Amino acid sequence: MSDRYRSVAVAVAVAIAAAVVLSACSGSRSNPAPAPQPFARPGLYVAVGASETIGDGTTEPLREAWPQLLFGAMPLSVSFVNLGFQGATTADAIARQVPVAETLHPTVATVWLNVNDLINGVNAPDFEAHLRVILERLRAAGAAVYVANTPALDHLPIYLACSQAAPTACPAGVPDPLPPPAVLNRMVDDYNAATGRAAAASGAIVVDLHAASLAARADGSESRLISNDGFHPNAAGARRISDTFVAVLRATGALG
Amino acid sequence: MSWTDAFALVLTELRRRAARSALTVAAVALAATLLTSLVTIATTAQNRVLSEVSTGGPLAGIKVAAAAPDPSQVDRDDARPGAPKPLDEAALARIRGVKDVKAVYPVVAVPVVVVGPLHVGPGPVPAGDESVAGGPGDGPVDLYGDSLVGLPLTQVARLPVTLLAGRLPTAGSLTEVVVTPGYLDRFHLSAKQAPLVVGTRVEIGFPRGFATGAARARWVRPTVVGVAAQDAGPGQFLGSVELAAVGRDWTLAGGARGAPRFGLQDTTYTGLFVIADRLDRVTAVRTRITTIGYSTSAPENLIASVKRYLRVVDIVLAAVSAIALVVAALGIANALYAAVRERRREIGVLKAIGARDRDVLRIFVLEALLIGAVGGVIGAVAGTAVAGTVGWAVNRYLHSQGIAGIRLALSVGVLAGAIAGSTLLAVVAGVAPARQAARLPAREAVAE
């Protein structure tokens, strides 16, 4: 082979090798979530979560719970199962909700599990590990998974009432003492970072309820979105949460 | 004399006495009209009554339940089902193979939880809520339990289903249902207001129990595409077998804590609708299914009773029609006798120039035949029009009551029979005067 042709062959080989190496490297960096496909066939939406998922805080959970509203935005061919229950933590969900969800092979799954873990003192690494298990198992079952992060909690009426030196309107079951706002916000930030990492690793998509809650605070509507129990979203709050989920699902093409 | 010549003479005579001919034809036409319209209306009414009795399904239909049989069920229309007994594919195949069974259709009835709609009926729909279910509520949730009955919708014409408004769901649909009058009653809607629910959506949940004791529903939001009366199974909702199977599988997955709690038996089919070859084979088929070991029911005794009474009506109507035809025949005979008297000279002239007795007979019989045939045709057409008008009026009334209309039982046989019968009767009525005219001596006829 002449020198000219040899140098061309070497250049081509190097280019091919570089392409192979680059593609291998990009695969190990992240596992981007594949764009969920619209419901091309009858689908199933499963909600995994806790009390706010089953509509606590609303007047008519069967009509006003945010997953029910999200279900209402989906194509008519979709059916819906709400596996949430009161007080559920990520560990509870792994034990009771995820096994059922796996048998259903849902098309879409939403996960909102954080506040009860926070209340029960689960540290961020453990929370992340549990959450990642949930998200990976749901993804393995075939679902496009949307996971909510933790909204801002420092302005919740129940937190404010129970944080007073002599709390008078603090119901039983609230941890005592409550962390000060700065600590609480740092814990929420740690949880949200953990949520982001778990989502990235499993191919789930984060629904930023934290940003939505701050937006509500900025536009002055925050207090009108919380129910009389000072903790759960009311019907208007559930609608705001559902709208946030709908926007993300729509942006990722899951609603067609 | 040829038939052509005789026909020409008849036409000339009919034209000459046009008024009398028209009156005679009108009498025959009236009788034929009465016969045609009565038979058509009676048949239509009979079909509708029997259809109502068998609630829209074929008369030889038998309902099979997923239960052991009542030993005395064959003698009764409604059986008392015994202990639950699974009805699976093997049982369906076995029943399908029973002698005198024409067809077998599966029924799947499943329990559902219903979130009642926010708004049903006339008036404005709440803002931002295009469906009647869903969206922020301004009133308490109407939550109640009921059933969804799944049927093979490609065969619904053979099932006990009567559409009252809208349409039936598409075969295999998971997003469409039909509601029953019971659903209308729940929201205080009359049958006339049935169209108001068509196009709305309803939220239905299939319940399931879990080991923790909690219950969860699998929710669907089908569109209500119609309103129908049905007797395939108890329930306010009618849909495809496929939709019901989704619910059945979800509820049964709850295991021992699930299905019994919600009243669902662990069975593939909750019932079958069997059609016998003929109505008189229903008892035999029921006996064989009882032997296989399943509970059955069929309105055969009721249908037999109704058919007996309808037979009485048929006899009365036949008598009325016969009287009308006899009156018409007498009119023809009377007109022909008068014609013979008036045309004696003409008959004499015909015979004088060589016409034989049978030629004269031919003329008058042909005249009678023509009057009968024309009257019969006019009567058949008029009778159809009368029946059609009556049918239109009846449908207008039924639709105003929110009830499905009737389909006119027009029959070519009835029309042909009316024409043929009128013609034959006219010929029979015309024979006697025709023979009298034929026997007139030529000399005697000309001399008058």
Side-chain angles (χ1 to χ4, degrees), chain A residues 8 58 100 102 104 106 144 152 157 161 180 189 201 204 211 236:
Chain A
V8 169
T58 64
V100 176
E102 285 172 321
L104 299 176
D189 289 343

Side-chain angles (χ1 to χ4, degrees), chain A residues 122-196:
Chain A
V122 178
N123 60 45
D126 287 345
F127 168 74
E128 180 178 342
H130 291 166
L131 187 62
R132 186 167 167 175
V133 166
I134 294 169
L135 300 182
E136 285 177 345
R137 285 173 65 175
L138 291 174
R139 290 281 293 131
V145 182
Y146 296 83
V147 55
N149 60 10
T150 312
L153 303 175
D154 57 335
H155 279 206
L156 284 177
I158 194 172
Y159 173 76
L160 296 173
C162 295
S163 296
Q164 294 171 5
T168 54
C170 187
V174 176
D176 184 28
L178 286 172
V183 174
L184 177 63
N185 289 337
R186 196 163 53 247
M187 292 165 70
V188 168
D189 289 343
D190 289 344
Y191 261 47
N192 287 343
T195 301

Side-chain angles (χ1 to χ4, degrees), chain B residues 338-353:
Chain B
V340 167
R341 278 197 304 276
E342 291 168 8
R343 291 153 67 182
R344 287 171 75 91
R345 180 180 290 276
E346 178 189 329
I347 295 168
V349 170
L350 280 173
K351 286 195 169 178
I353 62 175

Side-chain angles (χ1 to χ4, degrees), chain B residues 54-422:
Chain B
S54 62
T55 52
L59 300 182
I62 302 164
K63 289 201 291 186
V64 179
D70 166 16
S72 65
Q73 68 180 12
V74 179
D75 299 322
R76 302 153 55 92
D77 281 3
D78 286 324
R80 283 187 296 251
K85 180 174 177 180
L87 198 51
D88 54 13
E89 289 291 348
L92 187 151
R94 209 169 154 201
I95 291 172
R96 194 168 268 154
V98 164
K99 188 170 178 283
D100 295 320
V101 165
K102 185 175 181 179
V104 179
Y105 302 108
V107 178
V108 180
V110 294
V112 294
V113 175
V114 186
V115 175
L118 284 168
H119 175 84
V120 179
V125 177
D129 182 16
E130 291 177 357
S131 74
V132 291
D138 57 358
V141 170
D142 182 16
L143 182 71
Y144 64 96
D146 205 272
S147 296
L148 169 80
V149 180
L151 296 175
L153 296 173
T154 54
Q155 305 293 333
V156 75
R158 294 181 155 195
L159 297 168
V161 176
T162 304
L163 189 65
L164 304 176
R167 62 173 175 84
L168 293 169
T170 312
S173 174
L174 301 180
T175 60
E176 296 178 344
V177 292
V178 151
V179 297
T180 65
Y183 183 83
L184 299 180
D185 287 343
R186 189 173 185 92
F187 299 103
H188 310 294
L189 294 176
S190 67
K192 279 201 297 189
Q193 293 174 304
L196 289 174
V197 301
V198 176
T200 62
R201 282 205 296 274
V202 63
E203 205 149 317
I204 293 173
F206 303 111
R208 171 175 161 178
F210 288 83
T212 57
R216 289 288 182 271
R218 179 165 180 161
W219 296 98
V220 292
R221 288 171 304 136
T223 303
V224 177
V225 296
V227 181
Q230 63 89 10
D231 195 32
Q236 287 184 356
F237 302 93
L238 189 65
S240 67
V241 171
E242 291 81 358
L243 177 59
V246 168
R248 176 198 62 204
D249 294 344
W250 170 255
T251 304
L252 288 179
R257 290 176 183 272
R261 176 178 168 184
F262 304 109
L264 180 65
Q265 189 184 338
D266 189 355
T267 176
T268 305
Y269 304 116
T270 53
L272 301 175
F273 193 75
V274 176
I275 300 176
D277 280 339
R278 300 194 311 269
L279 188 56
D280 60 359
R281 307 310 302 159
V282 167
T283 302
V285 170
R286 287 184 72 187
T287 303
R288 294 181 191 121
I289 296 176
T290 302
T291 305
I292 291 177
Y294 288 96
S295 171
T296 65
S297 62
E300 51 182 325
N301 290 316
L302 177 60
I303 289 173
S305 297
V306 169
K307 288 187 99 171
R308 275 196 291 274
Y309 290 114
L310 289 175
R311 183 78 187 117
V312 169
V313 172
D314 282 344
I315 293 171
V316 170
L317 292 179
V320 170
S321 300
I323 291 171
L325 286 170
V326 166
V327 168
L330 290 175
I332 294 173
N334 183 52
L336 286 176
Y337 273 121
V340 167
R341 278 197 304 276
E342 291 168 8
R343 291 153 67 182
R344 287 171 75 91
R345 180 180 290 276
E346 178 189 329
I347 295 168
V349 170
L350 280 173
K351 286 195 169 178
I353 62 175
R356 292 161 294 184
D357 287 357
R358 65 170 181 266
D359 294 329
V360 175
L361 181 76
R362 183 181 300 167
I363 291 170
F364 282 88
V365 168
L366 201 55
E367 185 171 333
L369 186 146
L370 204 57
I371 290 172
V374 171
V377 168
I378 296 173
V381 171
T384 304
V386 168
T389 305
V390 171
W392 172 82
V394 168
N395 276 335
R396 196 171 161 192
Y397 169 73
L398 292 177
H399 290 148
S400 71
Q401 299 300 308
I403 301 172
I406 56 174
R407 277 181 60 185
L408 215 56
L410 285 173
S411 164
V412 172
V414 170
L415 300 180
I419 297 170
S422 302

Side-chain angles (χ1 to χ4, degrees), chain B residues 1 3-15 343 346 350 359 363 367:
Chain B
M1 180 186 295
W3 282 100
T4 310
D5 293 333
F7 191 71
L9 278 173
V10 166
L11 285 180
T12 304
E13 184 56 29
L14 288 176
R15 275 198 294 270
R343 291 153 67 182
E346 178 189 329
L350 280 173
D359 294 329
I363 291 170
E367 185 171 333

